Amino acid sequence: MLDQKEIVSEVKVIVFRLKDEEYGVEVHQVKSIEKLEHITRVPRTPKFVKGVINLRGVVTPIIDLRNRFGLEDSEYSEATRIIIVAVGELEVGLIVDAANDVIDIPVNAIEPPPEVVGGVEAAYLRGVAKLDRRLLILLNLDKVLSTEEIKQLDAIEG
């Protein structure tokens, strides 16, 4: 007989690259991964909000994670992707340098984040996973955007 409480021993994440670091976001928060397409600029938005795209009939705000994290800009390439994620009720696209793969991370391999990792403040992070020779920075999407910023983006989407 199965125990009612299923013990979660692994977290499934999508791995993506920003600059020289690998990051992860939990699969259940990811709606899709898209190739970079034309982004329509929206006036009077923060610098990290690149604009909006029409994704299958839905206006979706697009955020450049490099800008959001205060990393230097980089030219977009063939590998650049937009990861569409759900933050609360809002769907947002995150521009990343490349989306690499999907992996399972043992929960016991995840440690609390240090104050700053790769120039990214700990407030945006859920933890750091140590996998063999890789360090994977796990994002806390609820913190990547503040409540106020989510309201602004919701108004764009709305």
Side-chain angles (χ1 to χ4, degrees), residues 59-103:
V59 176
T60 306
I62 303 298
I63 291 170
D64 189 313
L65 270 188
R66 277 180 170 261
N67 288 154
R68 181 62 178 134
F69 294 160
L71 303 172
E72 73 272 0
D73 284 339
S74 170
E75 291 292 317
Y76 297 143
S77 72
E78 193 59 39
T80 302
R81 294 290 180 266
I82 299 175
I83 300 177
I84 307 296
V85 297
V87 182
E89 298 294 308
L90 181 66
E91 282 191 16
V92 178
L94 306 174
I95 299 175
V96 300
D97 294 347
N100 301 349
D101 51 6
V102 178
I103 60 171

Side-chain angles (χ1 to χ4, degrees), residues 2-42:
L2 290 174
D3 190 354
Q4 294 293 76
K5 293 180 189 165
E6 193 176 318
I7 298 170
V8 180
S9 60
E10 292 184 328
V11 178
K12 190 177 285 297
V13 297
I14 303 245
V15 178
F16 63 90
R17 185 167 282 290
L18 278 182
K19 202 174 169 188
D20 300 326
E21 303 289 339
E22 285 189 309
Y23 294 82
V25 64
E26 291 185 42
V27 165
H28 71 86
Q29 292 182 294
V30 176
K31 300 296 182 194
S32 65
I33 298 174
E34 308 290 332
K35 284 192 168 194
L36 194 62
E37 58 182 81
H38 174 74
I39 300 171
T40 304
R41 188 83 184 113
V42 178

Side-chain angles (χ1 to χ4, degrees), residues 119-139:
V120 179
E121 291 179 40
Y124 300 140
L125 307 179
R126 183 173 153 227
V128 177
K130 290 182 182 175
L131 307 168
D132 297 322
R133 297 196 170 147
R134 292 166 84 177
L135 267 186
L136 190 63
I137 303 163
L138 302 177
L139 289 187

